[in-house]
Amino acid sequence: MAVSSCPCPKSFAAALSPSFECRSDPSGTDQPSHGRFSRRVNSVRHGTASFFGGGMSSLILKFPPNFVRQLSTKGRRNCSNIGVAQVVAASWSNNSSAGNPSAAANAAAAAVPAVEPVELIAGDEVAVVEGLKENELVQLDDLTNDLKYSSFLSSDGSLAIHAGERLGRGIVTDAITTPVVNTSAYFFKKTAELIDYKEKRHASFEYGRYGNPTTVVAEEKISALEGAESTLIMASGMCASTVMLMALVPAGGHLVTTTDCYRKTRIFIETILPKMGITATVIDPADVEALESALEKHNVSLFFTESPTNPLFRCVDIELVSELCHRKGALVCIDGTFATPLNQKALALGADLILHSATKFIGGHNDVLAGCISGSAKLVSEIRNLHHILGGTLNPNAAYLIIRGMKTLHLRVQQQNSTALRMAEILEAHPKVKRVYYPGLPSHPEHHIAKRQMTGFGGVVSFEIDGDLMTTIKFVDALKIPYIAPSFGGCESIVDQPAIMSYWDLSQSERENYGIKDNLIRFSFGVEDFDDLKADILQALESI
């Protein structure tokens, strides 16, 4: 049973102290069949006497499927085998609200013998759980008092490190880092267990495309940072965008998006969605009147925009557009990749969904592709259902890299925010720079919005060199620290000339229709020393 867990080495009694609570999915629930649950035990007390104080009929510990088969007697007594089993503290009722097993399940289970009693070592005390038939299930519906991370973690930095792990993960291990579960499928002990899964009385991922314990940890971390009920993580940011659009905009439907955005997103909206009869209105990010007009003229299903946008960092008033859209029954999804969950909380501002290319700041090391969508369990489940059909599953090794990257997210973002703002100010004052695009500058057209809804302005700055295409190329080639590459948000600084990197197939006039000038530079600041970056940029400017 891929559910909540608590640490379970020899110091089991200490782990069950009043200050520790077992937990499962902080995001609410998607579906039991995904092995994710929304409730958790509150105030499990030290020692077996108080642990079973309500009577063994009301609270038990039951090992998940495959535990008895895979662990030796010694292993079961110590509960120390890493990554093999998950232990759940749950309320038990013979008259479960999940309903009685079907006749087929009863027939399949008729000859199944009882499982031998299992001992858990709790210091010098031993808690014995009496034998249960293999088709009997622990029900989680009655568990209450969801753990609130904010009760003992006051910062996003701490959440990025501990959410989904120290605060409870679906893999029992005394390892600090989350194990990578490399599997393409999950097996059932008996046919009765499979039937119980199909009839939603037993939890399992079933197949690798439907979920993975390592991936769930990454999802729970992001949910904790975004304040979301649920998060779905996929193979790339574009995968997340396209699946979300197809899941939430019906055939023949209409959506509203903005002019400044990632080009591949625009291509999908302009060329692929029309094949499904889906049309779009494209507005300036700050044009509230155009949004209101579109909402009046069309039956709009979704307003989807980046904020800040790519590559000119236009900002949308998330609170205002959410209010306008919700009046007309339209959903709001914000791509917050440039902001990160640390600089902007789109859900708290009223958006229904927040999307990220986790390849960028969330992963943060230029070594992994991933995308994620966070929001209510209901909406994320709709997207998840289509995702299970289309694929685009994140490899568990990639999920591990996302988890690893997130543990330094707050440190990296703080450094990158600081470097970008200081360099934006220097660039704006430099005679060889015509214009700087950065929401932290008072000269930015939506600075007033960014200042209100962001706590930091991001680690990427765009600016125009005072020169033509070749002068700008000369500047880029004179830089010594950044890599010339696509992407952004990693530890290493990256520079690119959008006219060449992303729009070279278009003519100069076509590029300029999208606001992409030949002298435009997008500079993603890494975590290198500020003085080194400053010196490098200044020497490159002096070379032109």
Side-chain angles (χ1 to χ4, degrees):
M1 182 176 290
V3 292
S4 61
S5 63
C6 54
C8 196
K10 291 185 179 180
S11 57
F12 186 79
L16 295 178
S17 68
S19 64
F20 187 87
E21 297 173 318
C22 297
R23 57 172 287 288
S24 61
D25 182 9
S27 60
T29 181
D30 282 0
Q31 298 160 343
S33 61
H34 298 148
R36 307 182 71 191
F37 300 90
S38 61
R39 310 285 182 130
R40 50 190 62 84
V41 173
N42 186 41
S43 300
V44 182
R45 301 192 177 278
H46 176 82
T48 55
S50 58
F51 184 84
F52 292 99
M56 288 183 64
S57 64
S58 64
L59 184 65
I60 70 162
L61 287 176
K62 181 179 182 294
F63 290 102
N66 312 327
F67 184 90
V68 173
R69 181 190 301 192
Q70 295 186 32
L71 287 187
S72 64
T73 301
K74 181 178 180 181
R76 279 185 277 123
R77 288 179 59 87
N78 293 333
C79 195
S80 60
N81 286 50
I82 296 175
V84 175
Q86 299 153 335
V87 183
V88 57
S91 63
W92 173 262
S93 171
N94 289 328
N95 298 315
S96 162
S97 61
N100 294 321
S102 65
N106 286 328
V112 177
V115 180
E116 64 180 292
V118 176
E119 296 179 343
L120 298 180
I121 304 301
D124 294 330
E125 299 172 299
V126 178
V128 180
V129 180
E130 295 300 333
L132 299 170
K133 289 186 177 181
E134 285 189 343
N135 67 319
E136 292 183 324
L137 301 170
V138 176
Q139 302 299 327
L140 304 183
D141 300 284
D142 297 329
L143 300 181
T144 56
N145 299 320
D146 284 2
L147 173 65
K148 301 298 182 185
Y149 294 136
S150 59
S151 63
F152 61 98
L153 294 181
S154 60
S155 74
D156 282 343
S158 297
L159 284 177
I161 295 168
H162 292 301
E165 295 189 279
R166 186 175 182 86
L167 301 182
R169 59 185 153 208
I171 308 169
V172 170
T173 172
D174 55 2
I176 292 175
T177 56
T178 293
V180 179
V181 180
N182 279 314
T183 186
S184 59
Y186 304 83
F187 69 90
F188 300 88
K189 289 187 297 183
K190 300 288 183 181
T191 301
E193 189 173 86
L194 171 59
I195 293 171
D196 281 333
Y197 162 71
K198 292 296 182 180
E199 297 182 356
K200 302 190 186 305
R201 292 185 302 275
H202 171 78
S204 172
F205 292 116
E206 183 189 11
Y207 187 58
R209 194 169 73 247
Y210 306 147
N212 179 280
T214 309
T215 303
V216 167
V217 171
E219 291 175 337
E220 292 188 353
K221 279 189 182 295
I222 295 166
S223 288
L225 287 178
E226 291 290 6
E229 285 184 344
S230 184
T231 291
L232 170 61
I233 195 163
M234 297 188 228
S236 71
M238 272 307 299
C239 181
S241 297
T242 56
V243 174
M244 182 275 300
L245 288 168
M246 288 190 290
L248 299 183
V249 183
H254 194 85
L255 68 93
V256 179
T257 189
T258 53
T259 50
D260 192 38
C261 68
Y262 179 53
R263 190 182 177 201
K264 292 300 190 293
T265 304
R266 181 188 296 116
I267 290 172
F268 183 79
I269 291 172
E270 292 177 348
T271 65
I272 306 300
L273 289 183
K275 296 178 182 178
M276 306 174 194
I278 296 172
T279 55
T281 297
V282 183
I283 64 172
D284 184 272
D287 196 342
V288 175
E289 290 184 1
L291 174 60
E292 290 178 310
S293 175
L295 290 169
E296 288 294 333
K297 288 181 181 178
H298 306 280
N299 182 19
V300 177
S301 300
L302 177 72
F303 175 55
F304 176 49
T305 183
E306 300 164 13
S307 188
T309 60
N310 180 26
L312 303 178
F313 307 114
R314 302 292 301 279
C315 295
V316 172
D317 188 331
I318 299 172
E319 189 171 13
L320 177 58
V321 300
S322 297
E323 181 183 344
L324 294 174
C325 289
H326 292 161
R327 285 180 194 169
K328 295 294 184 177
L331 298 171
V332 175
C333 179
I334 302 295
D335 182 332
T337 300
F338 279 97
T340 78
L342 301 187
N343 287 332
Q344 181 175 274
K345 306 289 187 185
L347 298 180
L349 291 167
D352 300 287
L353 294 165
I354 177 70
L355 183 147
H356 294 278
S357 170
T359 305
K360 312 304 193 293
F361 289 99
I362 289 177
H365 289 76
N366 292 318
D367 61 2
V368 63
L369 292 176
C372 61
I373 304 172
S374 303
S376 69
K378 179 180 182 298
L379 284 178
V380 174
S381 290
E382 289 183 39
I383 303 166
R384 191 185 298 274
N385 289 338
L386 181 58
H387 166 60
H388 287 171
I389 296 169
L390 296 178
T393 306
L394 187 73
N395 185 282
N397 294 280
Y400 175 86
L401 292 175
I402 295 295
I403 294 166
R404 186 279 318 270
M406 289 186 70
K407 295 186 181 185
T408 59
L409 178 62
H410 63 298
L411 301 174
R412 292 185 283 105
V413 168
Q414 287 170 10
Q415 173 79 358
Q416 289 163 313
N417 284 345
S418 173
T419 297
L421 178 58
R422 294 166 70 186
M423 279 309 310
E425 292 169 343
I426 291 170
L427 288 166
E428 191 170 49
H430 200 283
K432 294 186 179 180
V433 175
K434 289 184 65 174
R435 184 173 180 181
V436 178
Y437 301 89
Y438 187 69
L441 294 176
S443 58
H444 189 279
E446 284 87 48
H447 175 65
H448 63 290
I449 295 174
K451 192 165 58 173
R452 185 173 69 247
Q453 66 188 23
M454 299 180 74
T455 56
F457 303 109
V460 187
V461 178
S462 291
F463 54 97
E464 295 170 5
I465 296 295
D466 187 9
D468 58 10
L469 179 71
M470 296 310 300
T471 303
T472 308
I473 289 173
K474 185 177 180 181
F475 165 77
V476 170
D477 289 347
L479 292 164
K480 295 180 172 62
I481 293 176
Y483 292 92
I484 302 173
S487 198
F488 57 88
C491 293
E492 300 87 357
S493 290
I494 284 177
V495 66
D496 80 82
Q497 203 169 340
I500 300 175
M501 185 67 72
S502 302
Y503 291 84
W504 194 240
D505 59 313
L506 301 181
S507 67
Q508 183 181 33
S509 60
E510 288 173 324
R511 294 195 294 265
E512 290 189 356
N513 286 338
Y514 292 115
I516 306 300
K517 298 180 181 180
D518 286 349
N519 61 347
L520 181 67
I521 296 290
R522 191 184 70 178
F523 200 116
S524 172
F525 291 97
V527 296
E528 300 95 345
D529 182 79
F530 169 78
D531 288 331
D532 288 338
L533 288 167
K534 175 185 173 182
D536 190 29
I537 291 173
L538 291 179
Q539 68 81 23
L541 286 170
E542 289 304 313
S543 73
I544 60 176

